[in-house]
Amino acid sequence: MPDDPSGTASNGADTQWPLWEVFAQSAQGAPYQHAGSVHAVDAEGALQNARDVYSRRGEAIGIWVVPSQSITASKPEDTGPFFDPADDKVYRHPQFYKIPRGLKGL
Amino acid sequence: MAEVAAVSMDAVAEFCLRLGDDRLILGHRLSEWCGHGPILEEDIALANVALDLLGQANRALELAAEAEARGRSADDLAFFRETVQFRNIQLVELPRGDFAFTIARQFFFDAFSVHLMDALQQSTHAGVAELAAKAVKEERYHIRHSAEWMVKLGDGTEESRARLQSAVNELWRFTGEMFQGDRWDEEAGAAGIAPEAAGPAALKSKWDEVVNDVFARATLTRPADEFFVRGGRGGLHTEHLGHLLAEMQIVARSHPGAKW
């Protein structure tokens, strides 16, 4: 356990435990959404820490924890080739359909 | 309600005072970790447990105040009693020590409290049963958290194991007080305030089961039962309680009746 409460060693390295990403569900049927992250040495510890940090005001009815290093993310330099090509394809939006009057809850 | 009416209100007050004082003092000890936890997440976890305990204490002291009917409030009981009037076991008043000591003490208490609250849901006293129904959920989380730490520290590094075993050895003689039982326990048992499963003998066997299981997983050695302290329930305390009360009570005593 680090003496320095910031968890940062004098050489600037992170001395804390591995990082886990937390996803929380706010209500039955609602999607799990990213809530934040916690440090923990194993899955049970991560689950408990996530519970203590992200559900203490009644925000969650379910929690997932995932090791941060298991997540593969796109890089900033991917933005152009990944996302810009979608910009001029308006026909992919379903706004060209006529919705019958009287249809509710769609 | 005939059964409840038959028991003296003294027994109800005494029973609730003990429930409340154990949790008030332990909650205060845990709150001392606020800002000093070994890691941010554990700092928050300990504060959460402390707040659960203070909530339980608040309700138990309200019930005690109602039962004694002397015009005192829960706050009066918490902040305007002297050391000898406190009914908590000595285990909960010991200084917080290092993290291993705090975890071992918490685990010993949680393993007792979770079964106590579970059993008290069947109390003939409606207020106690209601308190227990809420508290038992909190206690199930507390024991999960502290048992997990017992195993991590015990089955951890050489240093964490040594620190935890030494905390266990030091605390062992304070664990007997949870199960000693006296005439007040008998009276509470006879009246059904504390059903049989909440009596000292039943709790001890459940506590032993939890402790033995976790000790095995944590590779800890169970100390021999040699000498157990007693007296907390009767107002006999270590010198540490006075210091704790001085700090806990000073604001209420310096500004009586002050509102937040």
Side-chain angles (χ1 to χ4, degrees):
Chain A
M1 285 164 219
D3 289 322
D4 176 357
S6 71
T8 308
S10 49
N11 63 7
D14 189 353
T15 61
Q16 297 207 352
W17 302 325
L19 201 60
W20 300 67
E21 298 303 321
V22 180
F23 298 83
Q25 186 186 36
S26 60
Q28 200 72 44
Y32 279 75
Q33 289 181 322
H34 190 232
S37 55
V38 291
H39 293 94
V41 293
D42 59 18
E44 170 66 14
L47 205 55
Q48 291 190 12
N49 287 345
R51 178 264 190 194
D52 283 324
V53 176
Y54 294 110
S55 75
R56 49 206 299 271
R57 298 180 183 88
E59 304 97 319
I61 61 157
I63 294 176
W64 291 345
V65 288
V66 182
S68 300
Q69 58 185 24
S70 298
I71 292 179
T72 308
S74 63
K75 299 183 179 67
E77 57 266 34
D78 294 332
T79 308
F82 268 43
F83 309 119
D84 287 354
D87 282 353
D88 61 352
K89 298 184 175 62
V90 290
Y91 47 84
R92 287 179 181 165
H93 292 274
Q95 68 227 33
F96 302 103
Y97 297 95
K98 284 202 163 58
I99 310 288
R101 261 177 295 152
L103 184 65
K104 283 178 184 140
L106 188 71
Chain B
M1 295 300 281
E3 291 156 283
V4 179
V7 69
S8 78
M9 273 300 149
D10 279 354
V12 177
E14 185 70 27
F15 186 79
C16 294
L17 211 51
R18 292 173 174 198
L19 268 188
D21 285 352
D22 278 351
R23 285 152 188 81
L24 176 65
I25 301 304
L26 184 57
H28 187 84
R29 276 294 181 224
L30 272 183
S31 76
E32 293 173 357
W33 277 99
C34 202
H36 301 279
I39 188 166
L40 176 68
E41 288 85 343
E42 186 56 24
D43 198 288
I44 295 172
L46 291 176
N48 279 348
V49 176
L51 284 170
D52 286 344
L53 292 174
L54 289 184
Q56 294 173 15
N58 188 38
R59 187 64 194 124
L61 292 182
E62 279 173 5
L63 294 173
E66 267 170 42
E68 69 165 13
R70 289 170 57 192
R72 296 197 288 185
S73 67
D75 276 357
D76 292 335
L77 291 175
F79 298 122
F80 293 92
R81 275 182 302 149
E82 307 297 326
T83 312
V84 294
Q85 295 166 312
F86 272 79
R87 294 288 178 260
N88 59 280
I89 53 175
Q90 294 181 7
L91 175 76
V92 299
E93 73 200 35
L94 302 173
R96 66 184 160 106
D98 62 8
F99 185 65
F101 189 89
T102 284
I103 288 298
R105 183 239 303 271
Q106 192 64 37
F107 169 68
F108 288 149
F109 184 79
D110 293 343
F112 158 73
S113 190
V114 69
H115 293 300
L116 174 63
M117 288 303 179
D118 191 20
L120 287 183
Q121 294 181 92
Q122 264 68 56
S123 173
T124 53
H125 188 288
V128 170
E130 202 181 307
L131 182 162
K134 178 167 182 285
V136 73
K137 292 186 200 167
E138 298 170 339
E139 294 304 317
R140 284 187 186 128
Y141 185 74
H142 297 175
I143 185 72
R144 178 167 168 175
H145 188 73
S146 59
E148 181 71 17
W149 269 118
M150 290 293 284
V151 175
K152 280 201 175 97
L153 295 177
D155 192 18
T157 65
E158 209 173 298
E159 182 178 0
S160 69
R161 188 176 183 289
R163 284 190 186 222
L164 186 61
Q165 184 69 58
S166 117
V168 163
N169 296 347
E170 203 178 322
L171 283 160
W172 196 252
R173 67 184 190 278
F174 292 95
T175 59
E177 220 183 344
M178 293 184 276
F179 315 108
Q180 267 154 5
D182 59 11
R183 74 177 179 92
W184 290 112
D185 287 306
E186 279 164 32
E187 207 172 321
I193 304 166
E196 203 180 330
L203 288 176
K204 176 69 163 69
S205 82
K206 285 185 173 158
W207 186 85
D208 276 335
E209 231 174 88
V210 178
V211 167
N212 290 340
D213 170 56
V214 170
F215 272 25
R217 288 193 284 136
T219 70
L220 291 165
T221 309
R222 185 180 161 122
D225 294 346
E226 280 164 354
F227 164 77
F228 289 111
V229 301
R230 57 189 311 149
R233 295 287 188 226
L236 186 68
H237 293 285
T238 66
E239 74 269 30
H240 306 296
L241 183 62
H243 294 281
L244 182 152
L245 293 183
E247 191 171 300
M248 190 182 81
Q249 296 179 331
I250 188 167
V251 174
R253 289 185 181 222
S254 305
H255 308 278
K259 291 264 179 283
W260 183 252

